[in-house]
């Protein structure tokens, strides 16, 4: 089950069925089963509070992913996304908002699949996987 929860004004998730289908396919292709996956869309301040409270990071970020799975082959988690960061990143990287949103949504699930992004080689692989699944989203 995939849930989208919007906790910020002025944002609406578009193409919900398409996004859910795409995410389910990504999870399946990575060799996992889907449990409960929650996307929570909020503003910078909301995500900053979570970053401080749970990770002790005093920074703004576009996404925070919490893995709630009890089984190795199961994807279950909460993915918090800052709509303000998505907007800013889209402008910075000269892409449209929806493309950046898709990238970040894939990024969160890829973390739940075990991909990391701290070391240069990990970042490179994460970007390759994001690009792969952005392409697949465009094919739906």
């Amino acid at each position: 089950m995939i849930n989208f929860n919007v906790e910020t004004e002025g944002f609406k998730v578009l193409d919900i069925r398409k996004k859910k289908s795409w995410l389910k396919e990504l999870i399946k292709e990575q060799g996992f089963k889907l449990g409960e996956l929650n996307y929570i869309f909020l503003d910078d301040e909301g995500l900053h509070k979570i970053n401080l409270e749970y990770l002790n990071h005093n920074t703004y970020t576009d996404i925070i992913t919490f893995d709630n799975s009890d089984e190795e082959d199961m994807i279950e988690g909460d993915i918090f996304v800052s709509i303000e960061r998505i907007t800013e990143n889209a402008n910075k990287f000269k892409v449209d908002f929806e493309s950046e949103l898709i990238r970040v949504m894939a990024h969160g699930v890829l973390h739940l699949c075990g991909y990391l992004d701290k070391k240069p080689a990990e970042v490179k692989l994460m970007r390759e996987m994001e690009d792969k699944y952005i392409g697949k989203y465009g094919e739906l």
Side-chain angles (χ1 to χ4, degrees):
M1 175 189 331
I2 299 174
N3 301 301
F4 296 130
N5 305 294
V6 177
E7 296 182 9
T8 185
E9 292 193 27
F11 172 71
K12 184 175 187 228
V13 180
L14 304 176
D15 301 317
I16 290 173
R17 282 195 185 119
K18 180 178 178 179
K19 283 182 175 71
K20 287 183 178 185
S21 174
W22 167 72
L23 289 164
K24 287 175 186 174
E25 190 58 36
L26 185 165
I27 290 164
K28 183 179 169 189
E29 197 172 292
Q30 286 294 315
F32 290 88
K33 294 181 283 187
L34 174 63
E36 185 173 352
L37 183 61
N38 299 301
Y39 280 89
I40 302 95
F41 301 98
L42 33 86
D43 60 17
D44 270 350
E45 289 309 315
L47 196 55
H48 184 242
K49 277 185 187 173
I50 291 166
N51 213 3
L52 277 171
E53 185 175 341
Y54 294 97
L55 303 175
N56 204 25
H57 297 162
N58 189 15
T59 57
Y60 289 90
T61 186
D62 52 0
I63 186 169
I64 297 175
T65 303
F66 293 100
D67 187 344
N68 301 332
S69 64
D70 292 327
E71 301 172 40
E72 252 183 59
D73 64 343
M74 182 73 67
I75 294 295
E76 289 191 313
D78 297 316
I79 299 175
F80 294 85
V81 177
S82 168
I83 296 306
E84 288 176 84
R85 289 295 103 207
I86 301 297
T87 302
E88 190 170 294
N89 287 345
N91 291 331
K92 179 179 172 182
F93 299 120
K94 297 183 179 11
V95 297
D96 63 88
F97 175 87
E98 193 68 13
S99 295
E100 183 62 11
L101 179 63
I102 293 300
R103 184 189 69 76
V104 170
M105 290 176 73
H107 185 92
V109 172
L110 290 167
H111 271 310
L112 293 174
C113 292
Y115 291 89
L116 303 173
D117 60 359
K118 298 297 179 208
K119 299 174 184 167
E122 295 170 345
V123 171
K124 183 178 185 292
L125 180 57
M126 177 67 88
R127 293 295 169 261
E128 288 171 4
M129 297 308 293
E130 289 170 4
D131 290 345
K132 173 183 176 178
Y133 288 107
I134 289 168
K136 287 183 177 280
Y137 183 81
E139 294 169 6
L140 294 179

